[in-house]
Amino acid sequence: MPSEMVKWRPIMINVTDLRSGAAFKDQGNLWEVLEYQHIKVGRGSANIKVKVRNLRSGTITEKSFMSGARVDPAEVEKKEAQFLYLDGSLAYFMDPKSYEQFSLPLSALVGQEKYLQEGGNYNLVCVDEEILSVEMPRTVELKVEDTGPGIKGDSVSSAYKAATLENGMTVQVPLFIKEGEKIRLDTRSGDYLERAK
């Protein structure tokens, strides 16, 4: 009797193993877990709630699963690349080992392209050789190109003024910040954090 062909299927993971940083496939999308919550519901089974980020679009949402449910794992790989320049709707990068140049649509950067600095190295988030996004550092240092005059001795004031940065962004900075100084911004909110040392 001929042996039957067995169709190979990747091993699925239990939703109780979805910890922060894990990636999985669900409903045709790729998700990265940001927060995990295990909720026990009376005598019944438990629910698993995860806050997730869509690796293609960058949108953040919440998903709920019944305890014991399974999802397909996604092997996320991070590759280093050097940012070269922006041109129209594309961001150009270079592989620092092979010197191969390639481009990414700005949609993959979900508005974070303003923080890219020419010559800077960034981690590209890839699944199955598809580049999904660019991992941004939590903070970035940028030079103040234009702002109102600084006020001497006003180093702890809660008053703010507008400042235009080297990347064209306008942010609110404390009154003591002067033109030519570098400041540190939070790349998640775009807010001023501190004067760069």
Side-chain angles (χ1 to χ4, degrees), residues 147 154-155 157-161 172-178 192:
T147 189
D154 197 354
S155 59
S157 172
S158 60
Y160 284 81
K161 61 182 178 179
Q172 293 295 310
V173 298
L175 296 175
F176 60 84
I177 297 294
K178 301 182 199 86
Y192 167 89

Side-chain angles (χ1 to χ4, degrees), residues 12-121:
M12 296 183 82
I13 54 172
N14 195 308
V15 291
T16 55
D17 295 328
L18 292 178
R19 295 300 188 258
S20 182
F24 65 98
K25 298 173 188 173
D26 185 47
Q27 298 172 343
N29 285 306
L30 292 164
W31 304 95
E32 178 187 17
V33 178
L34 302 175
E35 291 174 21
Y36 171 93
Q37 198 176 8
H38 185 273
I39 303 164
K40 186 83 173 136
V41 189
R43 299 176 112 190
S45 62
N47 279 347
I48 307 301
K49 262 192 168 174
V50 284
K51 188 175 185 180
V52 291
R53 180 170 63 93
N54 186 313
L55 287 171
R56 284 195 178 100
S57 68
T59 57
I60 293 173
T61 188
E62 283 194 356
K63 287 185 156 294
S64 292
F65 299 97
M66 293 298 290
S67 183
R70 300 178 85 72
V71 291
D72 286 315
E75 286 298 318
V76 175
E77 192 182 345
K78 292 185 180 176
K79 295 181 181 178
E80 188 179 50
Q82 184 181 42
F83 173 64
L84 300 175
Y85 59 94
L86 292 174
D87 184 22
S89 62
L90 296 172
Y92 287 84
F93 290 86
M94 180 179 72
D95 184 312
K97 293 180 182 130
S98 68
Y99 300 107
E100 175 192 348
Q101 291 187 20
F102 56 93
S103 62
L104 274 180
L106 292 189
S107 58
L109 296 162
V110 289
Q112 299 284 292
E113 64 275 1
K114 58 187 170 264
Y115 299 120
L116 291 172
Q117 295 180 314
E118 285 183 22
N121 287 335

